Amino acid sequence: MRLKVISLVIGILSGLSACSTTEKATNVTVTEDNQQQRIPDVLNASGLFNKAISKQGIHKIQLLYSAREAAIIEQDWQTLEQACLALESKNSVDHVQNKLYIALARKEMANYTDALSILRTLSEQLKLPEHQGWHQYLMGSIYASQQLPKKALVHYFKASDIAYQNNLTFASLNDETWRALQQLSSYALERFDTGSVVQQGWTKLAKYQQIYLGTGVELHQAMNNWQRRFINHPASYILPKEVTQAVLLSPYETKKLAILLPQSGPSERLGAALKNGFLAASDNWPDSEIFFIDEMQTNIEIEAQLAQNQADFVIGPLLKNNIEKLSDSSTLHVLPTIHLNTKSSQSQQNPNHYYFALNPEHEVEQALVHFLAKKYQKPMLLAPDSSSGKRLVEHFSEQWRLYSEAAPEVGLYTDSKNMAKVIANLLEVENSKQRIKTIESLYRKTDIESETRSRRDIDVIYILGNASETRLLKPYLDVNVSTFAPKIPLYASSRSYSRRIDTTDKSDLEGLYFTEQPWMLPNTTDNRALRNQYMQLWPEQADIEQRLFAMAFDAVALIGEIKQLAKIPGKEFIGLTGQLSIKSDNTIHRRLKWAQYYKQQIRTINLNEQAPLPLFMQSAAAENRILKK
């Protein structure tokens, strides 16, 4: 049976509206020799629209139809919107289809609020399968644009079911469905592996790709089994391309691993900590040769050693200025590399270069997602008045503004002496004390019992200080929050935690939640034997050295996984430093463990990290909930 094609190229749903033709200029003969003719001018979308404005009646409508279809082909979204708005007043127009075109144009121009509003108003007017499918596709694509693949797939699967049941094809739907699926973790894919045959087919294909990626024979077998089970599935077209690419994603074959780390200068101590981690990881690489190069050397010296040792993979450098220094190195450019820091602004895009850093911004984002999942409205941030403290506060505030109209309160302290004052001012405790003094002055002969009150709108506090600062801040917060008010939950980053300091009494930190890499938490890492051996060898090492050891160990372990992580954003690697994945730009993203001080012990917990809705979507979601009641 021949499929009806509803695509952007030929004009989605155009068969439901009046036919239209593109007007062309009349042929004009050249008068010189009557042999050459002028080639007819074909107007583009903008030209057709401008010509339509000067016309009347059916001729105007035909030109507007032509401008609309040309605008889709040219991806001229502004002209598409203009042509559709001009057609809205015409009785002969399919107004549902026309509104869908307007929603498409506004979505493509990143005017998501208006696009979503139009789609919501059309929900009750969708009678035809073509309209219903296209409506679901547009809803999904808006969610996908906001990095919400789970919500996007709910609509993509509905559109795919409509297309399958009615022999329709919606342009870009299959490609976007596949992209969204590749962003899901294996756990999320399991949750989607239900529902219709179409949905299960999509989900199982994505699961097979994650499981067998880079395995060659096993992947082919899994794909063949899938194809026999899901005959004529819309995802079938993906198989040849994906299988070919997946086979090419076999792990890097590393025989000679070069590691660049600081072996001289002020960062030598950090280099030594890394070296311990690399050597510990080398036990799992018995067939590979590892050699170390001092990254503080000149480019010429480093390149010479890479060539002399015939390196086929590189880890490092650690220091960002050395990454910048080597950004122009032709030798390093051709070698697959895991840099141990964030990407330099001077670094060119290289598909075989990756960036692995203990990035505190990832922790800030993880905490923010949890706060929004808990529906906290007014966070208070406490951070040192330093460049790093201000950077993290600004990063949190920028991200928070995408999801909330209420700006967070920020307190920056310079040292331990002014912490109490900063907290008291933020919680407006001083105002309460002043009111008490005023009342006491009016009733001097009467004993008045009083207690200060703190502001009630702060509903969560996030500490970005180090371990010593956190242990000073927590008691100040306890005494400045009014006993009449609900207890404000306290959170902190991994900077607040120290294995060395934490051997003392933990009672001052009771109830505090914080993020930390598994390696640093007691009885959390899966590799207990490695942790015990580490503590026997280096029982007195500082926290930064312990974290760098785990980072080095993970960097070596990532070599066999990193191609696949870069290919599938939803694929994760469980490491000593956290759950590692690559979302974009070959940057390794870390998701840390949540822990809490509880009864003078530390316990790991799972906290809600449901992806938040952007601000422009929240009002629509609230209205939908009201309508469903």
Side-chain angles (χ1 to χ4, degrees):
M1 183 182 294
R2 187 175 63 87
L3 299 179
K4 280 190 288 180
V5 179
I6 298 91
S7 68
L8 291 176
V9 176
I10 66 170
I12 304 159
L13 313 178
S14 60
L16 300 176
S17 63
C19 296
S20 62
T21 57
T22 304
E23 182 171 298
K24 301 180 181 179
T26 306
N27 291 358
V28 179
T29 304
V30 178
T31 57
E32 289 292 329
D33 54 13
N34 292 325
Q35 292 180 357
Q36 294 181 334
Q37 291 186 326
R38 184 183 301 166
I39 299 173
D41 293 327
V42 179
L43 298 178
N44 61 12
S46 178
L48 288 165
F49 174 74
N50 290 332
K51 190 163 188 175
I53 298 302
S54 65
K55 303 293 182 180
Q56 297 294 327
I58 189 64
H59 200 44
K60 179 174 186 174
I61 294 173
Q62 288 179 330
L63 284 168
L64 288 172
Y65 280 142
S66 297
R68 191 175 69 176
E69 294 183 6
I72 292 171
I73 295 171
E74 299 167 19
Q75 298 186 4
D76 182 350
W77 307 119
Q78 185 173 1
T79 299
L80 175 61
E81 180 185 35
Q82 291 174 329
C84 291
L85 291 173
L87 283 167
E88 279 202 307
S89 61
K90 311 303 179 185
N91 293 330
S92 60
V93 172
D94 182 335
H95 292 284
V96 173
Q97 175 191 342
N98 204 57
K99 285 285 189 184
L100 289 170
Y101 276 123
I102 296 174
L104 167 66
R106 291 181 179 172
K107 177 194 76 87
E108 294 292 344
M109 292 189 292
N111 190 351
Y112 301 115
T113 304
D114 286 353
L116 193 61
S117 178
I118 291 171
L119 294 173
R120 285 171 47 228
T121 61
L122 289 176
S123 296
E124 302 300 321
Q125 304 176 43
L126 304 169
K127 307 301 181 185
L128 297 172
E130 290 90 338
H131 290 165
Q132 295 165 0
W134 183 238
H135 182 270
Q136 289 296 324
Y137 164 71
L138 285 176
M139 288 289 292
S141 63
I142 291 175
Y143 281 112
S145 71
Q146 303 304 305
Q147 289 74 54
L148 295 167
K150 293 179 186 177
K151 293 185 179 295
L153 283 166
V154 171
H155 297 282
Y156 284 159
F157 286 144
K158 289 179 181 178
S160 195
D161 280 336
I162 292 169
Y164 188 75
Q165 293 165 11
N166 295 277
N167 292 330
L168 303 172
T169 300
F170 299 106
S172 301
L173 171 62
N174 291 337
D175 288 335
E176 293 187 31
T177 302
W178 186 239
R179 279 197 294 271
L181 281 165
Q182 290 182 306
Q183 295 176 53
L184 300 188
S185 65
S186 56
Y187 174 76
L189 287 173
E190 286 291 346
R191 299 286 297 273
F192 270 111
D193 194 4
T194 183
S196 68
V197 172
V198 172
Q199 179 169 331
Q200 289 185 49
W202 277 113
T203 307
K204 289 187 188 310
L205 185 63
K207 285 168 61 177
Y208 291 163
Q209 191 207 39
Q210 279 202 14
I211 294 169
Y212 300 110
L213 190 64
T215 60
V217 176
E218 292 91 340
L219 180 63
H220 273 288
Q221 184 177 353
M223 294 301 185
N224 287 335
N225 291 338
W226 180 92
Q227 202 162 23
R228 283 193 295 268
R229 181 175 177 183
F230 297 99
I231 299 170
N232 295 326
H233 192 278
S236 297
Y237 85 100
I238 290 172
L239 290 177
K241 177 181 67 175
E242 288 300 320
V243 169
T244 301
Q245 290 182 355
V247 171
L248 293 175
L249 286 173
S250 56
Y252 289 108
E253 292 187 9
T254 304
K255 297 299 182 183
K256 294 191 175 183
L257 172 61
I259 298 175
L260 307 181
L261 45 76
Q263 294 182 294
S264 60
S267 299
E268 183 179 356
R269 179 174 66 92
L270 304 182
L274 285 167
K275 189 172 185 178
N276 292 333
F278 289 128
L279 291 173
S282 68
D283 291 342
N284 300 321
W285 290 70
D287 298 328
S288 298
E289 180 184 346
I290 298 179
F291 55 93
F292 297 92
I293 299 174
D294 186 358
E295 67 179 72
M296 308 306 292
Q297 297 179 99
T298 65
N299 282 16
I300 294 174
E301 292 171 322
I302 291 172
E303 289 175 341
Q305 291 181 65
L306 289 172
Q308 179 184 345
N309 290 280
Q310 298 179 325
D312 51 24
F313 200 100
V314 176
I315 296 179
L318 171 69
L319 305 179
K320 197 163 187 177
N321 59 327
N322 287 333
I323 294 177
E324 294 177 355
K325 177 182 73 174
L326 288 163
S327 61
D328 294 330
S329 169
S330 58
T331 302
L332 197 64
H333 181 78
V334 298
L335 291 173
T337 303
I338 299 177
H339 297 288
L340 298 177
N341 210 317
T342 54
K343 187 174 183 180
S344 164
S345 58
Q346 299 178 16
S347 300
Q348 297 179 352
Q349 188 65 33
N350 187 326
N352 291 315
H353 279 208
Y354 309 89
Y355 299 86
F356 180 28
L358 303 181
N359 195 333
E361 278 80 1
H362 295 164
E363 291 187 65
V364 167
E365 293 165 9
Q366 188 174 347
L368 181 145
V369 168
H370 171 64
F371 296 166
L372 292 165
K374 290 283 288 185
K375 302 190 185 307
Y376 292 135
Q377 302 294 317
K378 189 72 172 176
M380 184 173 87
L381 309 182
L382 294 173
D385 190 5
S386 61
S387 58
S388 61
K390 291 176 181 177
R391 187 185 80 244
L392 293 178
V393 164
E394 181 58 28
H395 185 72
F396 183 99
S397 300
E398 284 180 0
Q399 296 296 311
W400 184 264
R401 282 193 289 269
L402 299 175
Y403 306 101
S404 175
E405 293 178 345
E409 291 288 341
V410 175
L412 298 174
Y413 52 85
T414 54
D415 51 41
S416 59
K417 295 179 181 178
N418 79 330
M419 284 180 180
K421 183 178 181 180
V422 168
I423 291 171
N425 288 339
L426 283 172
L427 294 175
E428 298 180 357
V429 174
E430 290 301 323
N431 294 342
S432 177
K433 290 179 179 178
Q434 188 61 47
R435 288 192 295 270
I436 291 171
K437 287 182 180 179
T438 302
I439 293 173
E440 288 176 341
S441 67
L442 295 174
Y443 301 94
R444 292 180 180 177
K445 296 182 180 181
T446 306
D447 291 333
I448 298 175
E449 293 186 6
S450 62
E451 186 168 338
T452 57
R453 292 177 179 267
S454 57
R455 59 190 291 186
R456 299 292 187 92
D457 58 333
I458 300 293
D459 51 8
V460 63
I461 296 174
Y462 189 35
I463 300 171
L464 292 165
N466 62 29
S468 300
E469 292 164 351
T470 302
R471 280 156 178 75
L472 292 172
L473 287 165
K474 174 72 163 51
Y476 287 142
L477 291 166
D478 290 340
V479 300
N480 279 283
V481 174
S482 171
T483 56
F484 299 104
K487 191 173 183 180
I488 303 176
L490 301 180
Y491 293 80
S493 71
S494 63
R495 296 190 68 223
S496 70
Y497 178 68
S498 167
R499 282 186 68 102
R500 299 183 68 187
I501 297 177
D502 211 58
T503 55
T504 60
D505 183 30
K506 305 178 182 68
S507 58
D508 285 344
L509 298 175
E510 181 68 19
L512 178 74
Y513 299 94
F514 64 99
T515 44
E516 182 55 278
Q517 55 179 264
W519 175 252
M520 297 296 291
L521 295 170
N523 303 319
T524 300
T525 179
D526 293 334
N527 200 333
R528 301 278 181 88
L530 177 65
R531 187 64 192 169
N532 292 335
Q533 185 180 15
Y534 180 91
M535 293 307 296
Q536 290 174 5
L537 293 172
W538 302 289
E540 300 299 323
Q541 281 208 323
D543 295 297
I544 182 60
E545 292 172 304
Q546 296 188 52
R547 292 189 169 98
L548 288 174
F549 175 94
M551 181 188 188
F553 192 95
D554 279 355
V556 175
L558 279 169
I559 294 173
E561 302 281 341
I562 203 156
K563 274 189 182 181
Q564 290 81 3
L565 291 173
K567 171 63 178 175
I568 304 178
K571 186 176 176 64
E572 292 182 332
F573 173 77
I574 309 301
L576 303 183
T577 58
Q579 290 179 246
L580 309 179
S581 60
I582 296 180
K583 307 299 183 185
S584 62
D585 204 26
N586 276 7
T587 296
I588 296 166
H589 185 278
R590 292 188 309 144
R591 188 156 63 89
L592 279 67
K593 287 279 189 183
W594 281 106
Q596 183 188 31
Y597 288 93
Y598 181 74
K599 294 182 179 180
Q600 299 194 33
Q601 298 295 323
I602 291 173
R603 63 176 184 178
T604 57
I605 52 176
N606 294 319
L607 297 183
N608 188 353
E609 292 183 12
Q610 181 179 351
L613 284 178
L615 193 59
F616 77 90
M617 288 184 170
Q618 292 176 19
S619 58
E623 289 180 20
N624 287 337
R625 285 194 295 269
I626 293 171
L627 292 173
K628 290 178 180 179
K629 290 183 179 179

